[in-house]
Amino acid sequence: MSALRIAADVGGTFTDVVITDGDGRMRALKVPSTPGAFERGVLHGLTEALAGAGAEAGSLHHVLHATTAGTNAVLERSGSPPALVTTGGFRDVLEIGRLRTPTIYDLGWTKPAPLVPRYLRFEVAERIGADGSVVTPLSFEGLGDALEAAVAAGVRAVAVSLLNAHINPAHEHAVAAFVRERYPDLLVTTGTGVVREIGEYERTSTAVVNAYLRPVISAYLGRLASGLVALGADAPVMVMQSSGGMMPVASAAELPVHLLESGPAAGVLAAAGVARATGDRRAISFDMGGTTAKASLIEDFAPLYANEFSVGSELSAASRLIRGAGYAVRLPVIDLAEVGAGGGSIARVDVGGALRVGPESAGAMPGPACYGRGGAAATVTDANLILGYLSEQHLLASGAGADLARAEEVVGRDVAGPLGLSAVDAALAVHRVADQQMARVLRAVSTERGRMIGDYTLVAFGGSGGLHAASLAEAVGIARVVVPPLAGVLSAVGLLQAPVELSVTETVGLEVTDDSVPTIAALVDRLAAEQRSELDRIVKTVPALDEPAGGRGDETEVVVDLDVRYPGEASELTLALPGTTFDAAGAVELVTRFHSRHLAEYGHGEAGAVEVVRVRVTARRPQHDGGSA
């Protein structure tokens, strides 16, 4: 029998599972997610999928996973605060942040409270200069006592982020070693271990988010691995990153900040595959689940990427126009926007008589009222059932029926009664308000980025995507909608298509001149060689990913991206480098492309000097299906 691959995507309401064999045959199912212990839903779904395929767990080639556990931990603030060790004078960098707000004219808007309270932020006497030289030698005085107090307060993780460590990480490494030696049970994250680039706020914020997530995610992934062993599955687990690449579960446990947009990234990859199949060169990926709706731009059949995003806000977007709402994460990510609107979003009439939908959700438990699991609030799913957009006989993932009378009762009480409408009119109003909520993410990735939204095709998927695709497209001016096969579990399908991936970024800070080209070229060559070697090492440590018998040669792809700007600008544009070498001809092409891209993005372009701020090198390798057993 062919070896099996299985993919599980955990959402806020349902866990989607797809199982495929070496011949490409797929079987899909949905099971309720299990908040608080998401691994139980995953293991239940794997068991059901294996039983449906008539297979044993031992036949699994590898397990692919996307999870919302990290995002939920930040949104719900359900993790335990880490400690932060930083350079003297920089204790408050998390609170100072950047002068960016998501709502420029809202004088009442306040920043989210830092994930590390001030009493858990500790300074050390040290200073590395901007050139990497030691300005002030490192001193550990007082750090031992501070850590003692932090451990006594229940701290389980520590972030270490020192000024200019991206140029010279010696002091940062020494502090991390000091912490590990005295408290080996503490989970230590260094800023340069996550982000090796300029920007003390972004680097510190990313390290803190990683430290905040490590106790939660490492425990979750550990329970998942133990559950797989108990099922008899001796298969490696690969986890989806926000950038759209897979990473081994051991790496994911150490760097969980890479998993924040795990599930949405898989969905965008699958939507890009759909766009290629249908010939839609320009498309918008629209993923509506039970809790959130996500959108992403696809151009030339490929997703767009960003270098930074925020997590922990109502409307999350990687756009340069929407920042400051949550916690900054400076890592590669598929460029998407997300809003709290889904099938489980709760509908209500506020004190002013206005109909509101979301961002609160009924979630997996109790779920919408029509599920019959104790849900007491009216939701979008209840409204869609009343409208006849859902089957009363086969609504639930288990194939069980839904309670139409209960849906009419809660919609009548919470919406129709207060607004003086019939149940059907109230349900239609809920549907349309939900559309307007989700239209925000479609505009965030298109209109707000200078694109004509009517030029794009809407690729709709997720458990509720097809229900709203037509009316939503009409509301924003999109003429063509594609709802693909397996739309309800398309993010899990995306996991099967994703490559194994490794990425690194280093700061350059040089204008493009004849003199600087050799320096930039040498850095590109070094990083490309390092990433290729490291990815090969990872693949060899995971037998199921290594080349099968009768191998196909070296399939590793290396991609180089450059963050470029005019000198003095605060923001950069990312341009891909054709191939993996940088020379004089490539420099001329880069400058020309940057001027054109700057004109398209900002409305003006200059014929002046151009600065390369960072180099990002990504190594990718396709998954293998294991062939025939």
Side-chain angles (χ1 to χ4, degrees):
M1 177 181 181
S2 296
L4 300 175
R5 292 189 301 153
I6 198 162
D9 172 40
V10 179
T13 304
F14 287 108
T15 293
D16 302 339
V17 179
V18 173
I19 187 168
T20 181
D21 59 26
D23 297 323
R25 291 186 293 264
M26 289 187 184
R27 298 175 182 84
L29 75 153
K30 282 179 173 283
V31 297
S33 293
T34 50
F38 282 114
E39 74 281 355
R40 292 203 325 249
V42 174
L43 295 170
H44 172 60
L46 298 184
T47 302
E48 291 287 317
L50 287 168
E56 300 292 334
S59 64
L60 286 177
H61 186 253
H62 53 271
V63 176
L64 308 167
H65 187 39
T67 177
T68 58
T71 306
N72 291 342
V74 177
L75 284 171
E76 300 166 2
R77 298 294 292 268
S78 58
S80 58
L84 171 64
V85 180
T86 190
T87 302
F90 286 79
R91 182 182 185 186
D92 296 318
V93 69
L94 290 178
E95 299 202 62
I96 295 171
R98 295 290 186 213
L99 188 59
R100 298 294 296 268
T101 68
T103 50
I104 298 176
Y105 303 108
D106 183 1
L107 299 181
W109 181 82
T110 57
K111 293 181 180 179
L115 292 175
V116 183
R118 199 168 193 271
Y119 75 93
L120 290 177
R121 301 180 223 145
F122 310 123
E123 298 179 349
V124 290
E126 69 85 36
R127 190 65 173 258
I128 297 290
D131 60 355
S133 62
V134 177
V135 177
T136 302
L138 174 63
S139 170
F140 294 112
E141 183 178 357
L143 182 58
D145 292 340
L147 290 172
E148 184 73 31
V151 171
V155 164
R156 299 161 59 195
V158 176
V160 180
S161 184
L162 305 182
L163 189 67
N164 291 322
H166 66 288
I167 298 295
N168 179 359
H171 285 180
E172 198 168 87
H173 291 168
V175 172
F178 179 91
V179 176
R180 291 186 178 107
E181 179 182 350
R182 283 156 180 76
Y183 298 97
D185 291 335
L186 284 178
L187 301 173
V188 181
T189 296
T190 62
T192 52
V194 183
V195 183
R196 285 162 50 180
E197 57 183 270
I198 193 171
E200 71 276 6
Y201 165 65
E202 289 83 1
R203 192 169 60 252
T204 301
S205 178
T206 306
V208 164
V209 172
N210 192 77
Y212 185 84
L213 293 175
R214 277 192 74 181
V216 175
I217 300 300
S218 59
Y220 164 68
L221 293 177
R223 294 193 301 269
L224 178 60
S226 298
L228 288 170
V229 171
L231 289 179
D234 184 20
V237 179
M238 301 293 293
V239 188
M240 171 62 81
Q241 304 177 61
S242 304
S243 62
M246 308 300 297
M247 69 192 309
V249 68
S251 300
E254 290 187 6
L255 296 171
V257 70
H258 284 276
L259 313 183
L260 285 167
E261 297 295 344
S262 178
V268 177
L269 284 183
V274 171
R276 284 191 296 272
T278 58
D280 290 293
R281 186 173 294 275
R282 289 179 292 188
I284 297 178
S285 160
F286 172 63
D287 176 5
M288 182 182 177
T291 306
T292 59
K294 286 80 67 175
S296 182
L297 213 61
I298 296 168
E299 294 183 337
D300 293 326
F301 308 124
L304 299 189
Y305 291 82
N307 305 324
E308 181 183 326
F309 63 103
S310 64
V311 64
S313 56
E314 178 182 343
L315 174 62
S316 173
S319 169
R320 58 183 170 85
L321 300 177
I322 307 173
R323 289 193 184 166
Y327 306 106
V329 175
R330 183 77 190 189
L331 289 172
V333 60
I334 287 181
D335 195 351
L336 53 83
E338 182 173 3
V339 69
S345 294
I346 293 173
R348 67 200 181 284
V349 177
D350 66 18
V351 293
L355 175 60
R356 305 287 183 183
V357 177
E360 298 84 4
S361 173
M365 290 300 293
C370 63
Y371 282 12
R373 297 175 183 153
T379 68
V380 174
T381 295
D382 294 309
N384 285 334
L385 181 64
I386 292 171
L387 293 171
Y389 296 164
L390 291 168
S391 168
E392 187 179 352
Q393 287 73 38
H394 302 291
L395 171 61
L396 303 187
S398 63
D403 190 341
L404 176 60
R406 179 62 174 154
E408 292 174 335
E409 177 187 344
V410 295
V411 170
R413 181 196 66 209
D414 295 347
V415 181
L419 295 179
L421 300 172
S422 68
V424 172
D425 286 341
L428 184 60
V430 171
H431 184 93
R432 288 177 173 170
V433 171
D435 283 347
Q436 292 305 313
Q437 286 285 89
M438 295 181 292
R440 297 169 61 195
V441 295
L442 298 186
R443 296 189 180 103
V445 300
S446 57
T447 309
E448 294 176 10
R449 300 180 192 184
R451 270 72 168 184
M452 295 292 292
I453 194 169
D455 294 339
Y456 290 77
T457 294
L458 189 68
V459 179
F461 58 99
S464 301
L467 299 176
H468 288 258
S471 57
L472 183 56
E474 183 179 19
V476 299
I478 291 176
R480 176 174 164 84
V481 175
V482 173
V483 181
L486 296 177
V489 295
L490 200 68
S491 290
V493 174
L495 292 173
L496 298 167
Q497 302 171 350
V500 185
E501 183 177 285
L502 194 65
S503 180
V504 67
T505 302
E506 284 203 11
T507 298
V508 179
L510 293 173
E511 289 188 15
V512 180
T513 65
D514 291 342
D515 293 335
S516 69
V517 166
T519 302
I520 299 172
L523 177 60
V524 169
D525 291 344
R526 175 175 63 82
L527 294 179
E530 289 176 357
Q531 293 304 96
R532 182 182 292 274
S533 175
E534 179 62 13
L535 184 61
D536 288 345
R537 184 195 65 79
I538 289 174
V539 168
K540 283 181 169 43
T541 62
V542 183
L545 298 178
D546 204 0
E547 196 67 39
R552 311 171 199 182
D554 182 10
E555 295 179 312
T556 298
E557 174 193 20
V558 177
V559 178
V560 180
D561 294 309
L562 304 176
D563 292 344
V564 190
R565 69 183 180 188
Y566 291 120
E569 283 190 315
S571 299
E572 309 88 29
L573 296 175
T574 300
L575 298 175
L577 180 68
T580 57
T581 58
F582 187 75
D583 53 20
V588 172
E589 181 188 353
L590 177 74
V591 171
T592 302
R593 288 167 55 212
F594 173 74
H595 292 321
S596 299
R597 175 81 177 275
H598 197 281
L599 177 64
E601 292 282 344
Y602 295 100
H604 66 93
E606 312 295 336
V610 171
E611 177 187 5
V612 175
V613 181
R614 303 173 191 86
V615 170
R616 181 174 302 100
V617 176
T618 302
R620 300 188 180 106
R621 185 167 181 149
Q623 298 180 50
H624 295 135
D625 59 16
S628 298

